[in-house]
Amino acid sequence: GTPFEITGTIKPRSEGAIIRVEKLSGKKWGPIGSEITTDAQGSFTVKVNAQSRGVFTFRVTLVEDVNWSAVTSQTFNIIIR
């Protein structure tokens, strides 16, 4: 029942890249919150609302723009106890 954060860094490190964190619900991916922008170090932090108990699957997408092609991370799981 506690909110948590998902953090990461893009490489090469770049300021201003747009990041979207998505959660798998059933067979569909849905965004967690709004898109965010990386800081000067290429880092990002996404706040996630409290979740019920279970195993949740997430992924991070770097949104395509003039500097970047769209890239999606491997999926990762978070266990809420």
Side-chain angles (χ1 to χ4, degrees):
T2 303
F4 60 95
E5 295 178 341
I6 296 174
T7 62
T9 303
I10 63 168
K11 303 229 174 146
R13 297 174 191 264
S14 178
E15 183 175 15
I18 300 170
I19 301 293
R20 178 176 44 238
V21 177
E22 299 169 304
K23 177 181 161 187
L24 183 63
S25 296
K27 294 183 179 183
K28 294 185 178 183
W29 289 99
I32 298 294
S34 58
E35 294 176 344
I36 57 168
T37 304
T38 56
D39 65 15
Q41 306 307 314
S43 299
F44 62 91
T45 300
V46 176
K47 296 180 184 200
V48 181
N49 293 330
Q51 305 288 309
S52 58
R53 293 173 58 129
V55 178
F56 299 94
T57 303
F58 295 90
R59 70 182 183 186
V60 177
T61 298
L62 175 64
V63 177
E64 184 173 2
D65 65 14
V66 295
N67 298 315
W68 295 94
S69 297
V71 177
T72 300
S73 72
Q74 293 182 333
T75 61
F76 56 95
N77 295 322
I78 295 178
I79 301 170
I80 308 293
R81 299 181 184 204

